[in-house]
Each structure stands twice: as C-alpha cells, then as structure tokens.
Amino acid sequence: MLKKFAVTNFRGFADRIEWDLSRHASYAYNSFAIRDGIVKNGIIYGPNGSGKSNFSMALFDIENHLSDNEKDAEYYKNFAFLGRENVPVKFEYDFDFGGIELRYLYEKNDRGQLVSEKLLMGGDTVFSRSRQGLYVDQKAFPMADSVRESIERSENGVSMVKFLATTFPLQESHGIMRLMKFVDSMLWFRNVDVRGYMGLERGSRNMDEDIIKSGHLEDFAKFIKDISRQEFELVAGHSGKDLMCVIDGKEREFHKIISTGTRGLEVLYYWLLRMDKASFVFIDEFDAFYHFELAKEVCKRLFAFDCQAFVSTHNTYLLDNDLLRPDCYFIIYNGKIRAVNECTDRELRFAHNLEKIYRSGVLTADYVKGWARD
C-alpha cells in the first residue's frame, strides 16, 4: 500500500507538499477505511485552484516511467513550477508491502526526464543514481564494472527500478517486484469536460462495445437502476459496438437520450468491472455531474473494493461520519494537505456534523493555524 507521498516544484506546488496516509486517528467506526495502519479510502476537498487535480496527477508520476500502461499525452506540459523550470521536480514515495518498507525518491527535469533516483528497502540503500555516479548494492545485485559504467553513461531515462526488475531473476515477493506490480495496477481517471485515464490498461476505449462483448448489458442496466433509480432496457446495436435503449418497442441510441451524469455512470461502471485488478485508484472530480445522493452510493461501491481508493470533490454532502471518518477526509489548501481531524483543535466525534463544521469555516481557519505550529 502507499504509505506516504510528497512532491516539490510540481506545477502549482513550489514548495514540498506531503500526504501522510499513516497518520490516522483511533476512531472505532468505519474501520474498513484503515488497513494495516494506513488509510485505505478517502475523499479530498479544497477550493477551486487549490491543486486537487495537479496533486493527484503528481501522485501518478511514478506510473509514467515505471509502467507501460496508458499515459496522459499532455502531462509533461507546464511540468515544473513556473519560473523554476531549472529546478528539478522531486518525488518521494513510501510503500508498505506486507511488512516490506520501501522508499523511492527521484527527480525529473522540466521535460519529465529522470535526473536522479534512489531506492531504499528496510532503510538500506538498494541503489542511488545521480550525475555524481551510480551505487548499487553488489550483494543483492552483482554487476560487472562495464555494465555499471554503461548505465552511468546512458541518457535514455530508463529507471534503475525497471532495469533491475527486468534484468535480474527476482521472485514475485521481492520488494522491487511488489513495487512494479503495484505501479502497473494504479488507475487515475476523470469524467469532466475532457475524459481521460492513466494506468492499468493501454489504448483508447469503446466502452459500449466492451460492455456488450463482455456480456454485461443486463448487469449495466441493473447497476444504473440500483445506483440512480433509472430504468433502461438495453440492447446491442446492429454493429455490436453501440448501446441502444428500447422505448415503446423502438430502439434509440443510448447516448442521445441520457443525461451527462448517466454518461458518467457508464465510465464509472467500465472501471468498476476492472477494479479488482487495481492497487491504487484516484478519481478526479468523480461526481462532477452526479446528484449528491448518487455520489454517496458511488463512494460506497468504490470503497468496498480491496484496493486503496480516493476521490476528489466539492460535494460536502459526502463529508459524513456515516460514510467515512475525520481522518479519511482531507483538505488541500495553500500548498498543504491534512486530514480533517488535524484541521481543528476540536476533538471530532461520530455525533459531530462534519459538513456543518466545514461549511462554517471553522476547519479552514484552524487548519491554517494548526500548520503554523508545525
């Protein structure tokens, strides 16, 4: 699981911003959201322009150079903080893979090319690579001088993590292989004006065709009914690539009669079918077109999966102790991200109305004061 993440000099974050998922409280309710001492599920809030989307994309930078899955073609535009393009963008990841503590640090230039990287396992350095040279633990990874010199001269930007994973016969339980599997199974997607995704799969998607060919027509119709109370009789079009809706005995194109929110449900349904393969999921502005009650039902389904799953939203209706708990709701503001229980001097309990407290401005004010004490 991802335990901690930090990034410096990325887009709107000139200074270091850290998200520590191991700093949970001792609430006795909704314990499903915490696993092995790490936050498994959460929701991120923040004002417009606070950096919710950019932070989530920074989090998935590791997928861009360790995985061969789908990338965002526009990702490396405006990569570094404006005016500091000559300063490296720094990424820090801490993982816990069943007791294997792994820390991965690296830097990239403003074009997204690796400048340096370092991997530690159980506190011990596995390798360290920079302009000053390359160190590799020779006991764990015996390497001829000629190979090491070749790597030092290389400028192809290939990560040492990827090199070691593909060159040495490592067991699946090895920390590096666990890292590669985790990253290869990460998924980020959004469903706003422009839809897109990173990770888990490759290439463009015809979701209608996939639902039809996988035999999920009836299940998709049931999903829409269960989650939004809309009833549709769905059939496959003549081409087998388009969803059709039967109305008064006549077939109509599904996408021409549904709302924007229902279109979003199809995107969600497509990925929910694959969620059992995912390790870490982030849905950016997941409920942009959803009714507030529908958004809560979506969260319940999403958080029931085994993977770590997080969403960003402006929907304060979800800020509810019935859904999660204060240490699983996060606020991003002014270059910081903290759990709601750390944004106030109050002791937040199950009976508290978190939405009302947040809307009153108490959390935001105390939130900034709390950081001043750090």
Side-chain angles (χ1 to χ4, degrees):
M1 296 178 73
L2 178 68
K3 186 176 180 180
K4 186 188 300 183
F5 169 71
V7 65
T8 307
N9 202 44
F10 178 83
R11 295 192 177 179
F13 301 108
D15 300 319
R16 184 178 183 273
I17 177 171
E18 178 185 281
W19 191 25
D20 191 346
L21 296 175
S22 67
R23 286 180 59 164
H24 63 88
S26 56
Y27 297 104
Y29 56 94
N30 291 332
S31 58
F32 71 87
I34 308 295
R35 179 185 295 166
D36 298 328
I38 300 172
V39 178
K40 172 183 172 289
N41 303 119
I43 298 177
I44 297 178
Y45 289 91
N48 289 61
S50 59
K52 296 186 297 297
S53 296
N54 280 342
F55 184 76
S56 70
M57 295 188 80
L59 181 60
F60 274 71
D61 186 87
I62 192 172
E63 190 270 339
N64 274 282
H65 74 269
L66 288 187
S67 172
D68 294 324
N69 289 327
E70 190 69 12
K71 309 290 189 294
D72 183 343
E74 302 293 313
Y75 176 73
Y76 287 114
K77 290 185 177 180
N78 303 315
F79 186 65
F81 186 80
L82 186 64
R84 297 180 60 183
E85 289 86 355
N86 294 327
V87 179
V89 182
K90 301 180 180 180
F91 297 88
E92 306 168 43
Y93 296 84
D94 287 87
F95 298 94
D96 186 335
F97 297 126
I100 301 175
E101 297 284 337
L102 194 149
R103 181 166 172 76
Y104 184 38
L105 316 170
Y106 62 87
E107 299 179 348
K108 290 185 176 181
N109 61 24
D110 64 331
R111 299 182 301 281
Q113 298 169 324
L114 277 172
V115 175
S116 68
E117 59 178 335
K118 183 177 183 179
L119 181 70
L120 298 96
M121 199 178 306
D124 297 324
T125 300
V126 177
F127 72 81
S128 178
R129 182 186 186 185
S130 67
R131 290 193 178 95
Q132 282 68 49
L134 170 68
Y135 162 80
V136 180
D137 183 349
Q138 286 293 104
K139 291 183 179 180
F141 299 97
M143 192 178 296
D145 291 341
S146 58
V147 174
R148 186 165 56 252
E149 291 171 2
S150 177
I151 294 172
E152 289 178 335
R153 293 194 302 269
S154 175
E155 296 183 0
N156 60 9
V158 175
S159 166
M160 277 297 295
V161 173
K162 202 167 185 178
F163 174 80
L164 296 177
T166 55
T167 305
F168 290 84
L170 304 177
Q171 296 182 349
E172 289 186 6
S173 59
H174 192 280
I176 288 180
M177 300 307 292
R178 297 283 293 272
L179 172 62
M180 290 295 293
K181 182 178 180 180
F182 185 93
V183 172
D184 209 43
S185 303
M186 292 174 70
L187 170 65
W188 175 100
F189 69 95
R190 61 159 47 131
N191 181 41
V192 286
D193 292 339
V194 178
R195 298 173 184 173
Y197 81 98
M198 292 189 291
L200 197 62
E201 295 188 350
R202 304 180 198 178
S204 59
R205 294 282 168 268
N206 183 330
M207 296 185 181
D208 283 11
E209 183 179 9
D210 182 87
I211 290 172
I212 293 167
K213 288 187 175 181
S214 63
H216 285 94
L217 267 176
E218 291 185 8
D219 188 64
F220 178 45
K222 182 179 183 300
F223 169 78
I224 295 176
K225 181 180 178 181
D226 290 346
I227 208 164
S228 68
R229 305 190 187 106
Q230 300 177 86
E231 292 193 45
F232 296 101
E233 182 183 348
L234 299 178
V235 296
H238 294 301
S239 66
K241 296 182 179 181
D242 300 300
L243 286 174
M244 306 296 288
C245 182
V246 179
I247 302 176
D248 295 330
K250 296 182 179 180
E251 295 183 4
R252 298 285 187 269
E253 291 184 43
F254 182 62
H255 289 281
K256 289 188 176 181
I257 65 167
I258 60 174
S259 67
T260 304
T262 305
R263 285 196 185 104
L265 286 179
E266 182 180 8
V267 177
L268 175 69
Y269 179 78
Y270 174 88
W271 289 116
L272 287 179
L273 290 177
R274 291 150 176 78
M275 209 65 73
D276 59 345
K277 298 186 296 183
S279 58
F280 187 99
V281 176
F282 195 103
I283 311 178
D284 187 31
E285 300 289 1
F286 87 107
D287 58 343
F289 304 111
Y290 293 167
H291 183 270
F292 62 91
E293 290 181 340
L294 171 59
K296 181 170 284 189
E297 289 302 314
V298 168
C299 282
K300 289 178 180 178
R301 291 198 175 221
L302 179 64
F303 297 157
F305 283 95
D306 192 53
C307 60
Q308 280 183 281
F310 298 86
V311 301
S312 65
T313 185
H314 291 287
N315 184 357
T316 57
Y317 177 76
L318 301 176
L319 196 54
D320 183 359
N321 279 320
D322 284 330
L323 180 62
L324 287 172
R325 37 194 263 180
D327 54 349
C328 296
Y329 292 108
F330 300 88
I331 300 174
I332 187 169
Y333 179 72
N334 197 27
K336 301 284 185 180
I337 182 169
R338 290 285 175 87
V340 162
N341 64 298
E342 294 183 325
C343 298
T344 176
D345 291 328
R346 294 186 184 183
E347 182 183 350
L348 298 178
R349 300 177 181 176
F350 181 79
H352 281 126
N353 186 323
L354 299 181
E355 179 183 20
K356 185 176 180 180
I357 294 173
Y358 179 59
R359 283 176 171 269
S360 71
V362 172
L363 289 178
T364 302
D366 288 347
Y367 180 59
V368 176
K369 291 178 183 176
W371 284 339
R373 293 194 298 268
D374 287 352

